[in-house]
Amino acid sequence: AQSVTQPDIHITVSEGASLELRCNYSYGATPYLFWYVQSPGQGLQLLLKYFSGDTLVQGIKGFEAEFKRSQSSFNLRKPSVHWSDAAEYFCAVAARRSGGGADGLTFGKGTHLIIQP
Amino acid sequence: NAGVTQTPKFRVLKTGQSMTLLCAQDMNHEYMYWYRQDPGMGLRLIHYSVGEGTTAKGEVPDGYNVSRLKKQNFLLGLESAAPSQTSVYFCASSYSSGTVRNEQFFGPGTRLTVL
């Protein structure tokens, strides 16, 4: 079974500074990888996804992530954060199913991002 | 397009009471999912459905039942609520084929408290 680790429970970044949120996954093959963001009291919004091809993927709101197979990582980055980026960020993995079907996403426990003025 | 909607938004139950959470999607998605979110635990899959009339267990199915009588609706039932089921419940849906398979769209959540 797949698993996801987000090593940082909380991260504090100054507004305008760069950001990197870490995500490591465990899966026997190349997985589908996702980053979601959750604002307080809200549902989850997809930031970006990796299925195949270029290992650097661009997402919404200026975010990007890089898939590194050798490190089993899919870290999320943003060059300059804004106060509105304060939220909970979740990395998730889905198993590839050659015969169809879906068994849902496996989520990390999340990283809470705090933006300092 | 409303996307994924959930009813109700909030609910307080007493131990032993029953209730049903409703999820509806208007994107003609084949797959639907129920997750629960607890502090420090991320989201965990309860049950899912790959089509009308089919359901399957996820990671934490005990104490819950589901039904998918119509393609657009996915119901989550608690027959006898327990305090351990206090959580925020999220419904999600996705397409069934192509590279967008597994890209899930989430509802706004239902906050359930069991006293």
Side-chain angles (χ1 to χ4, degrees):
Chain A
Q2 61 266 31
S3 66
V4 177
T5 301
Q6 293 181 246
D8 304 304
I9 298 173
H10 301 279
I11 282 190
T12 301
V13 178
S14 297
E15 190 169 13
S18 64
L19 169 71
E20 183 170 30
L21 301 182
R22 295 184 290 165
C23 171
N24 293 98
Y25 70 89
S26 173
Y27 183 61
T30 302
Y32 294 125
L33 293 162
F34 305 84
W35 275 99
Y36 283 87
V37 61
Q38 183 182 33
S39 297
Q42 303 296 312
L44 278 73
Q45 181 183 22
L46 180 67
L47 283 175
L48 47 78
K49 58 186 182 287
Y50 172 78
F51 287 162
S52 64
D54 193 347
T55 57
L56 183 63
V57 293
Q58 302 297 321
I60 62 171
K61 304 184 179 185
F63 286 92
E64 66 177 26
E66 187 172 12
F67 169 60
K68 292 186 177 180
R69 185 190 306 274
S70 61
Q71 299 177 17
S72 297
S73 69
F74 189 56
N75 293 349
L76 182 71
R77 301 193 293 248
K78 187 171 185 179
S80 176
V81 299
H82 185 263
W83 64 267
S84 60
D85 293 324
E88 192 83 15
Y89 291 80
F90 293 96
C91 182
V93 63
R96 292 177 181 264
R97 296 291 186 187
S98 60
D103 59 359
L105 295 171
T106 298
F107 285 84
K109 295 183 178 181
T111 297
H112 185 60
L113 177 62
I114 300 167
I115 307 296
Q116 280 184 338
Chain B
N1 255 358
V4 180
T5 58
Q6 293 182 231
T7 309
K9 289 185 170 51
F10 302 93
R11 185 72 186 268
V12 178
L13 290 179
K14 294 182 180 178
T15 297
Q17 287 184 319
S18 63
M19 79 162 294
T20 300
L21 281 66
L22 171 64
C23 175
Q25 52 93 5
D26 61 2
M27 296 174 281
N28 202 33
H29 286 167
E30 287 289 335
Y31 297 164
M32 296 187 75
Y33 314 82
W34 276 107
Y35 294 88
R36 60 178 288 173
Q37 183 181 28
D38 302 294
M41 296 295 293
L43 279 78
R44 293 179 291 169
L45 183 66
I46 305 172
H47 286 279
Y48 65 97
S49 168
V50 299
E52 184 177 321
T54 71
T55 62
K57 294 181 180 180
E59 180 185 355
V60 288
D62 294 342
Y64 304 95
N65 56 76
V66 288
S67 64
R68 184 100 180 268
L69 299 179
K70 293 182 179 181
K71 183 177 182 179
Q72 64 267 34
N73 294 338
F74 194 28
L75 278 62
L76 178 71
L78 287 73
E79 291 184 349
S80 179
S84 61
Q85 294 178 304
T86 294
S87 188
V88 181
Y89 292 86
F90 287 99
C91 176
S93 67
S94 69
Y95 291 107
S96 62
S97 63
T99 58
V100 295
R101 194 176 77 204
N102 284 312
E103 179 179 339
Q104 297 180 18
F105 296 81
F106 283 80
T110 295
R111 185 174 295 275
L112 175 65
T113 301
V114 183
L115 302 176

